[in-house]
Amino acid sequence: MAYITSSSAIINCILQPKTIVPDYKISHIRDHYRYSKETIFMTRKRALVITNVATPPLPKTVAPSPLSDQKIGCRGWSHVHVAWTSVRQEKWEGELAVEGEIPPWLNGTYLRNGPGMWHIGNHNFRHLFDGYATLVKLHFEEGRLIAGHRQIESEAYKAAKKNNKLCYREFSEVPKPDNFLAYVGELASLFSGSSLTDNANTGVVKLGDGRVICLTETQKGSIIIDPHTLDTLGKFEYSDSLGGLIHSAHPIVTNTEFLTLLPDLINPGYLVVRMEPGTNERKVIGRVNCSGGPAPGWVHSFPVTEHYVIVPEMPLRYCAQNLLRAEPTPLYKFQWHPESKAFVHVMCKISGKIVTSVEVPLYITFHFINAYEDKDEEGRVTAIVADCCEHNADTTILDKLRLLNLRSFNGQDVLPDARVGRFTIPLDGSPYGKMEAALDPNEHGKGMDMCSINPAYLGKKYRYAYACGAQRPCNFPNTITKIDLVKKKAKNWYEEGAVPSEPFFVARPGATEEDDGVVISMISQKNGGGYALLLDGSTFEEIARANFPYGLPYGLHGCWVPKQK
């Protein structure tokens, strides 16, 4: 779609026989102005008013040749969705034309992190989680939008570029040793952690002191970036002596604290730790010992309430034997131990005391949505309610995220079912908790992942969540979904062939309603293009979009950096 910046263009538009033009009063058009006061954009549904659009042409970009068939691992470039192709250039920045209107209060930068380069040299990565990190920004200011992206310069990425080969252990990838002695040495470096990747390709968070950090599940993969230039500033070095190799990829971050979990692979359990703003020192709140199994369960994320940290213990457990293998197993670094059962632990934030540990039905989740304290009429906490994107205890979701599966979609419905799993954890001493669907999974197409909420409701009773659902048949979540947990209903945004990234909610300053704000997502299109999308958080109607000059690959998680006053 194109936009109109001159009176002659508007006249030509009116003269088109199949074009329907609404009865707008168009005035004050200046062909030589850098920004038009008001221009009309035609869509299939309605006319959008375009404000503050940059006069074409947009800043030029370097457009490298399409990747070879060998590099993308498929039959041809035209058959591969841009969501699953490597980013075409290392960095770019430019102003985008906005179709619609960006709310005037939306001033700040949305950052999205994710794996954006899935090959090095002649080597093709196997899994979605392997790719080298690509950081994308959308900077909103006074109705204008400046976009950009850049590769995060981790040691893993720099070594791969220098040597034209894989040099560190990624999620499913292991460097190929030249000989047996090199293999032995690589195993030794694995135990020290030096061969683990620092490829911070999972999340990005703004600390209470303003520093912005990109993260992955290895502790060494904590990297400070400049949110404005996207420059890599250096490693985030933890100043404590807690040790360990891994941590939760999704800490709980507020203006006053940073909470995370450190799995203990030797003596199965978890350390719950806190870090104050302005420091790099984590302090132990308490420890949870595992209730079953040979190792702690995977803790990609976890929830909190106002007074408690909730520690999940899934039967999908870390596996040292799989970690040592040169080739990935179906469950990669994990093993499924249903016989070890599943548990949820509740720890007091202040004392570190374990309030309760309960057995729950078997579950698989990457992402918790939120949790809160359920109280009786006298204000006493009787239970903890925790919601997550739950995959019906089906471990095949991990293997479905192999790039070969994502790139070879042939129209069959192969995405495993998922739901909003709601845990109810009683605090009356009962050894068992419940888990059930918070709403009918058909409301969101039995697909559910990549979630966000209004951050003001973190740890509190809440009503709305935003996530990616499914319009079937599909092999990956392909809708943006607003979940109403009170009415148990969902609204779904869908565009044929589009792959949306995590919908991220930004609240309007001064808002009193929970859903008063905007939802930001980046869309990869089937035709190779892509755009930034803004939806009204309340009505869930599109209010603006801005096309990138070329398509970007799929990304994972984001954060919001408000404009400094």
PDB file of all heavy atoms in Angstrom, residues 146-160:
ATOM      1  N   ILE A 146      10.444   6.189  14.345  1.00  0.00           N
ATOM      2  CA  ILE A 146      11.780   5.844  13.862  1.00  0.00           C
ATOM      3  C   ILE A 146      12.019   4.384  14.219  1.00  0.00           C
ATOM      4  O   ILE A 146      11.887   3.990  15.377  1.00  0.00           O
ATOM      5  CB  ILE A 146      12.875   6.708  14.507  1.00  0.00           C
ATOM      6  CG1 ILE A 146      12.565   8.194  14.326  1.00  0.00           C
ATOM      7  CG2 ILE A 146      14.241   6.357  13.921  1.00  0.00           C
ATOM      8  CD1 ILE A 146      12.610   8.684  12.914  1.00  0.00           C
ATOM      9  N   ALA A 147      12.354   3.582  13.234  1.00  0.00           N
ATOM     10  CA  ALA A 147      12.594   2.152  13.457  1.00  0.00           C
ATOM     11  C   ALA A 147      14.056   1.827  13.176  1.00  0.00           C
ATOM     12  O   ALA A 147      14.772   2.577  12.500  1.00  0.00           O
ATOM     13  CB  ALA A 147      11.693   1.315  12.560  1.00  0.00           C
ATOM     14  N   GLY A 148      14.487   0.699  13.678  1.00  0.00           N
ATOM     15  CA  GLY A 148      15.843   0.244  13.407  1.00  0.00           C
ATOM     16  C   GLY A 148      16.059  -1.140  13.956  1.00  0.00           C
ATOM     17  O   GLY A 148      15.280  -1.637  14.774  1.00  0.00           O
ATOM     18  N   HIS A 149      17.121  -1.771  13.487  1.00  0.00           N
ATOM     19  CA  HIS A 149      17.501  -3.057  14.070  1.00  0.00           C
ATOM     20  C   HIS A 149      19.007  -3.188  14.042  1.00  0.00           C
ATOM     21  O   HIS A 149      19.708  -2.493  13.292  1.00  0.00           O
ATOM     22  CB  HIS A 149      16.833  -4.230  13.338  1.00  0.00           C
ATOM     23  CG  HIS A 149      17.551  -4.661  12.095  1.00  0.00           C
ATOM     24  ND1 HIS A 149      17.189  -4.231  10.846  1.00  0.00           N
ATOM     25  CD2 HIS A 149      18.615  -5.491  11.910  1.00  0.00           C
ATOM     26  CE1 HIS A 149      17.975  -4.761   9.938  1.00  0.00           C
ATOM     27  NE2 HIS A 149      18.863  -5.537  10.570  1.00  0.00           N
ATOM     28  N   ARG A 150      19.517  -4.082  14.876  1.00  0.00           N
ATOM     29  CA  ARG A 150      20.959  -4.290  14.965  1.00  0.00           C
ATOM     30  C   ARG A 150      21.250  -5.633  15.600  1.00  0.00           C
ATOM     31  O   ARG A 150      20.531  -6.075  16.504  1.00  0.00           O
ATOM     32  CB  ARG A 150      21.586  -3.175  15.797  1.00  0.00           C
ATOM     33  CG  ARG A 150      23.100  -3.151  15.757  1.00  0.00           C
ATOM     34  CD  ARG A 150      23.624  -1.811  16.219  1.00  0.00           C
ATOM     35  NE  ARG A 150      25.052  -1.713  16.006  1.00  0.00           N
ATOM     36  CZ  ARG A 150      25.739  -0.595  16.089  1.00  0.00           C
ATOM     37  NH1 ARG A 150      25.107   0.531  16.369  1.00  0.00           N
ATOM     38  NH2 ARG A 150      27.040  -0.582  15.899  1.00  0.00           N
ATOM     39  N   GLN A 151      22.292  -6.291  15.133  1.00  0.00           N
ATOM     40  CA  GLN A 151      22.737  -7.530  15.772  1.00  0.00           C
ATOM     41  C   GLN A 151      23.396  -7.201  17.107  1.00  0.00           C
ATOM     42  O   GLN A 151      24.178  -6.236  17.199  1.00  0.00           O
ATOM     43  CB  GLN A 151      23.742  -8.264  14.881  1.00  0.00           C
ATOM     44  CG  GLN A 151      23.181  -8.748  13.555  1.00  0.00           C
ATOM     45  CD  GLN A 151      22.042  -9.721  13.726  1.00  0.00           C
ATOM     46  OE1 GLN A 151      20.908  -9.421  13.372  1.00  0.00           O
ATOM     47  NE2 GLN A 151      22.326 -10.880  14.278  1.00  0.00           N
ATOM     48  N   ILE A 152      23.104  -7.995  18.130  1.00  0.00           N
ATOM     49  CA  ILE A 152      23.776  -7.847  19.419  1.00  0.00           C
ATOM     50  C   ILE A 152      25.158  -8.481  19.313  1.00  0.00           C
ATOM     51  O   ILE A 152      25.294  -9.635  18.897  1.00  0.00           O
ATOM     52  CB  ILE A 152      22.956  -8.498  20.544  1.00  0.00           C
ATOM     53  CG1 ILE A 152      21.618  -7.770  20.703  1.00  0.00           C
ATOM     54  CG2 ILE A 152      23.730  -8.485  21.862  1.00  0.00           C
ATOM     55  CD1 ILE A 152      20.689  -8.403  21.708  1.00  0.00           C
ATOM     56  N   GLU A 153      26.167  -7.744  19.692  1.00  0.00           N
ATOM     57  CA  GLU A 153      27.540  -8.194  19.503  1.00  0.00           C
ATOM     58  C   GLU A 153      28.029  -8.987  20.714  1.00  0.00           C
ATOM     59  O   GLU A 153      28.901  -8.560  21.466  1.00  0.00           O
ATOM     60  CB  GLU A 153      28.446  -7.001  19.210  1.00  0.00           C
ATOM     61  CG  GLU A 153      28.098  -6.329  17.883  1.00  0.00           C
ATOM     62  CD  GLU A 153      29.022  -5.183  17.545  1.00  0.00           C
ATOM     63  OE1 GLU A 153      29.324  -4.360  18.443  1.00  0.00           O
ATOM     64  OE2 GLU A 153      29.461  -5.107  16.386  1.00  0.00           O
ATOM     65  N   SER A 154      27.453 -10.162  20.871  1.00  0.00           N
ATOM     66  CA  SER A 154      27.906 -11.088  21.911  1.00  0.00           C
ATOM     67  C   SER A 154      29.237 -11.699  21.485  1.00  0.00           C
ATOM     68  O   SER A 154      29.635 -11.620  20.317  1.00  0.00           O
ATOM     69  CB  SER A 154      26.867 -12.194  22.109  1.00  0.00           C
ATOM     70  OG  SER A 154      26.722 -12.947  20.908  1.00  0.00           O
ATOM     71  N   GLU A 155      29.928 -12.315  22.435  1.00  0.00           N
ATOM     72  CA  GLU A 155      31.176 -13.007  22.092  1.00  0.00           C
ATOM     73  C   GLU A 155      30.889 -14.144  21.116  1.00  0.00           C
ATOM     74  O   GLU A 155      31.676 -14.416  20.209  1.00  0.00           O
ATOM     75  CB  GLU A 155      31.848 -13.532  23.361  1.00  0.00           C
ATOM     76  CG  GLU A 155      32.368 -12.448  24.301  1.00  0.00           C
ATOM     77  CD  GLU A 155      33.359 -11.519  23.625  1.00  0.00           C
ATOM     78  OE1 GLU A 155      34.208 -12.017  22.854  1.00  0.00           O
ATOM     79  OE2 GLU A 155      33.291 -10.296  23.871  1.00  0.00           O
ATOM     80  N   ALA A 156      29.746 -14.808  21.299  1.00  0.00           N
ATOM     81  CA  ALA A 156      29.382 -15.911  20.404  1.00  0.00           C
ATOM     82  C   ALA A 156      29.201 -15.416  18.972  1.00  0.00           C
ATOM     83  O   ALA A 156      29.674 -16.044  18.015  1.00  0.00           O
ATOM     84  CB  ALA A 156      28.112 -16.591  20.905  1.00  0.00           C
ATOM     85  N   TYR A 157      28.530 -14.287  18.821  1.00  0.00           N
ATOM     86  CA  TYR A 157      28.291 -13.733  17.484  1.00  0.00           C
ATOM     87  C   TYR A 157      29.588 -13.241  16.849  1.00  0.00           C
ATOM     88  O   TYR A 157      29.862 -13.518  15.678  1.00  0.00           O
ATOM     89  CB  TYR A 157      27.282 -12.595  17.590  1.00  0.00           C
ATOM     90  CG  TYR A 157      27.051 -11.858  16.293  1.00  0.00           C
ATOM     91  CD1 TYR A 157      26.426 -12.484  15.221  1.00  0.00           C
ATOM     92  CD2 TYR A 157      27.459 -10.534  16.146  1.00  0.00           C
ATOM     93  CE1 TYR A 157      26.217 -11.800  14.022  1.00  0.00           C
ATOM     94  CE2 TYR A 157      27.244  -9.846  14.957  1.00  0.00           C
ATOM     95  CZ  TYR A 157      26.625 -10.490  13.900  1.00  0.00           C
ATOM     96  OH  TYR A 157      26.422  -9.820  12.726  1.00  0.00           O
ATOM     97  N   LYS A 158      30.407 -12.531  17.624  1.00  0.00           N
ATOM     98  CA  LYS A 158      31.657 -12.001  17.080  1.00  0.00           C
ATOM     99  C   LYS A 158      32.618 -13.128  16.692  1.00  0.00           C
ATOM    100  O   LYS A 158      33.284 -13.055  15.654  1.00  0.00           O
ATOM    101  CB  LYS A 158      32.305 -11.056  18.090  1.00  0.00           C
ATOM    102  CG  LYS A 158      31.529  -9.763  18.288  1.00  0.00           C
ATOM    103  CD  LYS A 158      32.304  -8.749  19.121  1.00  0.00           C
ATOM    104  CE  LYS A 158      32.475  -9.192  20.548  1.00  0.00           C
ATOM    105  NZ  LYS A 158      33.122  -8.137  21.376  1.00  0.00           N
ATOM    106  N   ALA A 159      32.673 -14.187  17.516  1.00  0.00           N
ATOM    107  CA  ALA A 159      33.552 -15.317  17.194  1.00  0.00           C
ATOM    108  C   ALA A 159      33.073 -16.049  15.950  1.00  0.00           C
ATOM    109  O   ALA A 159      33.881 -16.471  15.116  1.00  0.00           O
ATOM    110  CB  ALA A 159      33.618 -16.268  18.386  1.00  0.00           C
ATOM    111  N   ALA A 160      31.741 -16.186  15.818  1.00  0.00           N
ATOM    112  CA  ALA A 160      31.197 -16.851  14.638  1.00  0.00           C
ATOM    113  C   ALA A 160      31.517 -16.063  13.373  1.00  0.00           C
ATOM    114  O   ALA A 160      31.891 -16.631  12.336  1.00  0.00           O
ATOM    115  CB  ALA A 160      29.694 -17.031  14.793  1.00  0.00           C
TER     116      ALA A 160
END
